[in-house]
């Protein structure tokens, strides 16, 4: 395996007693952290003069007038204001990173599709050049919908930085380890963790252990939040304390650097003379975080029937329609199956949502063959799907004692919008042309008797 690391030196906040080194627990909390003592003002946000000669600056993730329980912003105290991290912009082309609306004229998105893992390349691919868009949905300009990507990363970004003005990114590693050096601190990420990178947050991505491959859900709409638990109550599913937000860390380094911005589906770059990762202290609730998927506590049937898969929702990004998500991030992990007189795998169905699935590791119970780690599948809105014959026969005839689904972790990016295939997904990615045939050998069992076959 190729190993790379950065030679840049960060000054990082000291660990606090009882906390994971470099991280603060919680989701949506109001955090405060400083890498130098006294760098964070107390009792006000914008003093006439900040300590250490720092500049005060606010990063807003919502409108100023958003309801208080939805309002998100972070105050940053930095070596240079971010206007010094921006100069004249030049348009550049990243041909494999697409944004909605993106409809390829002679590509049919109507269908059930599945792909083998996208193979690693011998090229030096960074976070930007290694992004491969599979599907797009909605419209980036009106800030609704999403895109799904595969990333293939073999090389660290060197004196190069990025942020998306279009979207927040949900990153799901499948192999390899990455380091996200952000304005607000450092996140080291490995399977089976995920990370959320907010819209407008500037960062650099380094390879700790490569080659690295994984999945990205690019969210154009409202931010990801924890789903309402309803009658489930205050516990289980994804618990807030298991999310980790980085402590403050900064670079004070002069070097010719490139900043790339994604804006309305286009990419632009500007040149500056220093590292823009210069936030010495910050406080607020608009920040990156990571989450270990093995801490997700699933709930399920304890007597009969298979509940809707919405019970496995880790994060949801709401839309303008109550209860119908712009995106749901759903996790199918190890769990016990105990329902009596019940067909236990996901049942056959078609619904209003478009479902893109990815396999992190192991075997998915509804598709024991062909859906391999690193692979993806797409079942678009109002198209039927469900178990193949092998899964159906096994579940229909199984001994219904307690059964542990083990060594399995797959996920779903689900959206209310139809997902359109990119040219890469249709013509370059390893599409399984025979996937639709996995249901062809399902038998007719009806014979006119109550017992059936």
């Amino acid at each position: 395996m190729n190993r790379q690391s950065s030679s840049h030196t960060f000054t990082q906040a000291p660990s606090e007693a009882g906390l994971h080194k470099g991280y603060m627990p919680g989701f949506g909390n109001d955090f405060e952290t400083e890498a130098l003592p006294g760098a964070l003002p107390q009792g006000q946000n914008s003093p006439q003069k900040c300590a250490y000669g720092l500049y005060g600056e606010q990063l807003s993730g919502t409108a100023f007038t958003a309801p208080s329980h939805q309002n998100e912003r972070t105050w940053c105290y930095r070596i240079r204001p971010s206007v010094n991290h921006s100069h004249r912009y030049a348009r550049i082309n990243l041909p494999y990173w697409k944004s909605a609306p993106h409809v390829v004229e002679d590509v049919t998105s109507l269908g059930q599709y599945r792909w083998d893992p996208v193979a690693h390349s011998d090229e030096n691919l960074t976070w930007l050049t290694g992004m491969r868009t599979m599907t797009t949905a909605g419209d980036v300009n009106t800030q609704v919908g999403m895109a799904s990507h595969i990333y293939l990363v073999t090389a660290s970004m060197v004196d190069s930085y990025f942020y998306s003005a279009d979207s927040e990114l949900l990153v799901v590693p499948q192999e390899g380890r990455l380091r996200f050096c952000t304005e607000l601190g450092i996140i080291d990420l490995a399977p089976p963790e995920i990370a959320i990178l907010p819209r407008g947050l500037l960062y650099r991505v380094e390879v700790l252990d490569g080659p690295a491959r994984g999945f990205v859900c690019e969210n154009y709409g409202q931010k990801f939040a924890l789903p309402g638990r309803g009658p489930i109550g205050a516990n289980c599913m994804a618990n807030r304390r298991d999310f980790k937000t980085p402590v403050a860390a900064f670079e004070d380094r002069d070097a010719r650097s490139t900043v790339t911005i994604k804006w309305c589906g286009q990419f632009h770059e500007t040149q500056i003379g220093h590292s823009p990762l210069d936030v010495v202290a910050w406080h607020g609730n608009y920040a990156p975080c990571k989450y270990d998927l093995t801490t997700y506590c699933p709930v399920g049937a304890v007597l009969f029937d298979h509940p809707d898969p919405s019970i496995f929702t880790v994060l949801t990004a709401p839309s303008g329609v109550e209860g119908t998500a712009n995106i749901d991030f759903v996790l199918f992990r190890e769990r016990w199956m105990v329902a009596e007189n019940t067909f236990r795998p996901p049942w056959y169905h078609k619904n209003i949502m478009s479902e893109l699935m990815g396999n992190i590791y192991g075997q998915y119970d509804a598709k024991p063959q062909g859906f391999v780690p690193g692979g993806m599948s797409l079942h678009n809105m109002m198209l039927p799907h469900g178990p193949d014959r092998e899964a159906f026969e096994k579940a229909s005839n199984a001994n219904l004692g307690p059964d542990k689904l083990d060594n399995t972790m797959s996920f779903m990016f689900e959206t209310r919008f139809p997902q359109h295939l990119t040219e890469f997904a249709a013509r370059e990615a390893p599409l399984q042309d025979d996937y639709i045939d996995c249901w062809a050998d399902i038998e007719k069992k009806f014979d006119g008797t109550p017992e059936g076959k």
Side-chain angles (χ1 to χ4, degrees), residues 15-25 193 244-245 247 290:
S15 302
E16 298 183 38
L19 302 183
H20 185 283
K21 183 180 180 182
Y23 300 99
M24 302 173 285
E193 298 174 315
K244 309 296 183 186
T245 294
V247 297
K290 74 172 184 175

Side-chain angles (χ1 to χ4, degrees), residues 189-249:
L189 195 67
E193 298 174 315
I194 61 172
I196 300 175
L197 304 172
R199 183 193 308 250
L201 180 80
L202 194 146
Y203 57 91
R204 177 183 70 240
V205 182
E206 300 172 353
V207 179
L208 296 179
D209 199 347
R213 179 175 60 203
F215 311 90
V216 173
C217 183
E218 185 177 2
N219 175 20
Y220 306 144
Q222 297 182 56
K223 280 185 82 274
F224 279 112
L226 296 182
R229 294 189 180 99
I232 295 171
N235 303 295
C236 294
M237 302 172 73
N239 291 304
R240 291 182 182 272
R241 69 185 295 261
D242 295 320
F243 288 81
K244 309 296 183 186
T245 294
V247 297

Side-chain angles (χ1 to χ4, degrees), residues 8 41 43 54 111 127 162 224 227-228 377 425:
H8 306 323
L54 299 173
W127 179 252
F162 172 73
F224 279 112
S377 68

Side-chain angles (χ1 to χ4, degrees), residues 406-425:
D406 216 349
N407 187 37
T408 181
M409 186 172 285
S410 299
F411 67 88
M412 186 160 61
F413 299 152
E414 186 177 65
T415 177
R416 59 172 295 206
F417 299 101
Q419 298 190 46
H420 293 274
L421 299 184
T422 62
E423 192 162 8
F424 174 80

Side-chain angles (χ1 to χ4, degrees), residues 58-63 70-74 198-199 223 286:
Q58 183 174 233
L59 173 62
S60 295
T62 56
Q70 296 176 347
N71 205 301
E72 295 192 330
R73 60 88 181 94
T74 287
R199 183 193 308 250
K223 280 185 82 274
Y286 190 67

Side-chain angles (χ1 to χ4, degrees), residues 269-293:
E269 69 178 25
T270 187
Q271 304 296 323
I272 60 175
H274 50 268
S275 169
L277 306 182
D278 63 356
V279 176
V280 178
W282 62 269
H283 77 86
N285 60 354
Y286 190 67
C289 64
K290 74 172 184 175
Y291 173 74
D292 185 344
L293 293 173

